[in-house]
């Protein structure tokens, strides 16, 4: 079982934590891409 203290959202690593909008509903795939990219970059920076 996973401890809830170990689970984080991708953008929790960024300076502006927020949910990533689902482009299926928003139609804004560019914003979703930008959010995922930001989250990945900040997560990788935290691991460095």
């Amino acid at each position: 079982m996973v401890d809830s203290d170990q689970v984080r959202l991708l953008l929790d690593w960024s300076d502006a934590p927020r949910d990533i909008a689902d482009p299926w509903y928003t139609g804004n795939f560019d914003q979703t891409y930008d959010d995922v990219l930001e989250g990945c970059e900040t997560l990788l920076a935290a691991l460095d």
Side-chain angles (χ1 to χ4, degrees):
M1 183 159 212
V2 176
D3 184 5
S4 63
D5 292 336
Q6 296 176 343
V7 177
R8 290 188 171 180
L9 298 175
L10 183 59
L11 286 177
D12 284 350
W13 297 97
S14 75
D15 292 334
R18 60 193 179 281
D19 289 336
I20 295 175
D22 186 342
W24 178 263
Y25 297 104
T26 65
N28 193 345
F29 289 85
D30 291 333
Q31 182 62 50
T32 301
Y33 175 85
D34 292 341
D35 287 346
V36 171
L37 180 62
E38 177 186 345
C40 289
E41 288 175 342
T42 55
L43 173 59
L44 289 173
L47 295 174
D48 188 23

